[in-house]
């Protein structure tokens, strides 16, 4: 039975998003070394917490609007944060300074921030890391970065068409994107559009490679790091495990509301999903 082993300090502001700090590849934790999480708050602050010491170690204020997405760079040396106003900030947890402010998505809430190690030298940008930002207006930007040299260069800009929505953006399915772990140089996009589908886009060819039909517009997305399949959540309590690039999907109805979060564990053998009043952990022994 899960139990609470740590309780981080309470804030009067609401926590909107959080992310674990990654460990560098091949580096094992030292005895007594603390794990860290970064959290984004409704007052525009980014806060770094030590899990073992249950205390806040750093507070930065790079945003004027509430935070909607936050993540670490792959080496844990930078924090990327996105706000409800569409502004993306890149900050250093070592110095507490914000080194980049990007307004390319200004006016539309950031829905996803994700970093990955650069997989192709011929992509034409410097540095060893790629990262993407998706916003509620169905736009995705892809960047190449060299954090040590303070470089951040736009690699690609995607805009996905959709019919006019009857209501505001908040009522539509979120725009979600993720780098594909098993197909380098490809990202997957789902969101409100002309069709209910997942799109596989090649950063090298600058085009959609293929489309996968879905039963509805997805509300959550996660790609397995261990096997070629993805998890998708939907508004009718449905969770789908979809083999890629083709195969029969497996559908599950264990939730009581919209499945608004899917997240694979780094091993790919567990999947965490969440709805309004339930958090489920799925065992995937064949992954």
């Amino acid at each position: 039975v899960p139990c609470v082993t740590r309780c981080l300090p309470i804030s009067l502001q609401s926590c909107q998003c959080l992310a674990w700090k990654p460990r560098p590849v091949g580096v094992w934790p030292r005895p007594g070394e603390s794990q860290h999480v970064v959290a984004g708050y409704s007052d525009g602050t980014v806060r770094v917490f030590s899990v073992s010491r249950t205390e806040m170690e750093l507070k930065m204020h790079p945003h004027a609007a509430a935070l909607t997405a936050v993540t670490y760079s792959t080496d844990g040396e930078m924090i990327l944060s996105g706000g409800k106003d569409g502004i993306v900030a890149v900050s250093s947890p070592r110095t507490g300074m914000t080194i980049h402010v990007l307004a390319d998505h200004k006016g539309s809430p950031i829905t996803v921030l994700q970093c990955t190690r650069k997989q192709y030298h011929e992509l034409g940008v410097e540095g060893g890391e790629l990262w993407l930002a998706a916003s509620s207006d169905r736009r995705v930007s892809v960047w190449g970065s060299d954090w040590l040299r303070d470089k951040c260069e736009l690699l690609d800009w995607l805009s996905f068409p959709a019919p006019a929505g009857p209501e505001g953006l908040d009522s539509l399915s979120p725009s979600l994107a993720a780098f594909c772990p098993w197909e380098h140089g490809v990202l997957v996009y789902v969101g409100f559009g002309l069709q209910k589908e997942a799109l596989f886009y090649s950063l090298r060819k600058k085009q959609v490679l293929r489309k996968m039909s879905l039963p509805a517009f997805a509300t959550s997305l996660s790609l397995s790091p261990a096997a070629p399949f993805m998890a998708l959540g939907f508004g009718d309590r449905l969770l789908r495990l979809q083999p890629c690039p083709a195969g029969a999907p497996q559908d599950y109805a264990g939730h009581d509301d919209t499945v608004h979060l899917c997240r694979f564990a780094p091993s790919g053998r567990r999947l965490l999903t969440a709805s309004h009043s339930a958090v489920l952990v799925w065992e995937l022994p064949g992954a």
Side-chain angles (χ1 to χ4, degrees):
V1 177
C3 62
V4 176
T5 59
R6 297 287 191 275
C7 182
L8 297 178
I10 294 174
S11 169
L12 296 178
Q13 302 294 328
S14 61
C15 179
Q16 310 286 76
C17 47
L18 57 85
W20 285 93
K21 180 179 180 180
R23 287 196 174 95
V25 174
V27 176
W28 294 96
R30 296 186 295 271
E33 182 181 14
S34 175
Q35 287 184 295
H36 291 83
V37 294
V38 60
Y41 282 77
S42 57
D43 62 353
T45 59
V46 173
R47 312 181 194 195
V48 178
F49 295 91
S50 165
V51 177
S52 62
R53 291 194 293 270
T54 64
E55 64 182 19
M56 184 174 67
E57 293 188 346
L58 177 66
K59 179 180 178 180
M60 301 177 286
H61 203 158
H63 294 271
L67 272 289
T68 53
V70 69
T71 192
Y72 275 97
S73 60
T74 55
D75 60 6
E77 293 299 316
M78 293 293 166
I79 293 172
L80 288 74
S81 53
K84 192 174 182 179
D85 57 1
I87 299 298
V88 175
V90 182
S91 307
S92 168
R94 290 184 179 272
T95 65
M97 300 293 292
T98 297
I99 61 174
H100 290 290
V101 176
L102 306 170
D104 300 73
H105 290 268
K106 186 176 181 179
S108 185
I110 301 298
T111 53
V112 176
L113 290 169
Q114 187 193 8
C115 298
T116 187
R117 287 178 177 80
K118 194 167 76 171
Q119 300 145 337
Y120 280 96
H121 296 294
E122 64 268 23
L123 289 176
V125 292
E126 295 184 28
E129 183 155 298
L130 296 179
W131 62 274
L132 64 80
S135 52
S136 294
D137 55 1
R138 300 171 302 281
R139 293 183 296 170
V140 180
S141 60
V142 183
W143 305 77
S145 294
D146 186 337
W147 304 122
L148 293 178
R149 299 176 63 186
D150 196 23
K151 291 196 173 184
C152 188
E153 182 179 348
L154 182 65
L155 173 65
D156 210 337
W157 181 264
L158 314 178
S159 184
F160 297 94
E167 301 176 18
L169 287 174
D170 290 343
S171 66
L172 303 178
S173 298
S175 301
L176 305 172
F179 291 110
C180 189
W182 61 83
E183 195 169 357
H184 291 171
V186 171
L187 64 82
V188 179
Y189 171 85
V190 296
F192 179 70
L194 300 175
Q195 303 292 333
K196 301 178 180 70
E197 58 191 4
L199 304 177
F200 290 74
Y201 178 86
S202 171
L203 294 171
R204 289 181 298 158
K205 297 181 179 181
K206 308 289 185 182
Q207 66 183 39
V208 175
L209 299 177
R210 58 187 179 275
K211 303 177 181 180
M212 181 179 293
S213 296
L214 301 176
F217 293 118
T219 54
S220 54
L221 168 72
S222 186
L223 278 62
S224 170
F229 66 91
M230 59 183 178
L232 298 135
F234 298 95
D236 56 358
R237 307 185 301 276
L238 179 70
L239 171 68
R240 168 167 288 192
L241 294 180
Q242 174 68 60
C244 298
Q250 305 171 53
D251 291 339
Y252 302 91
H255 281 280
D256 58 356
D257 204 339
T258 298
V259 184
H260 62 77
L261 176 70
C262 296
R263 195 75 76 240
F264 279 102
S267 67
R269 299 199 173 200
R270 285 192 177 97
L271 173 69
L272 183 143
T273 60
S275 60
H276 175 70
S277 59
V279 176
L280 304 181
V281 179
W282 306 77
E283 293 283 351
L284 305 169

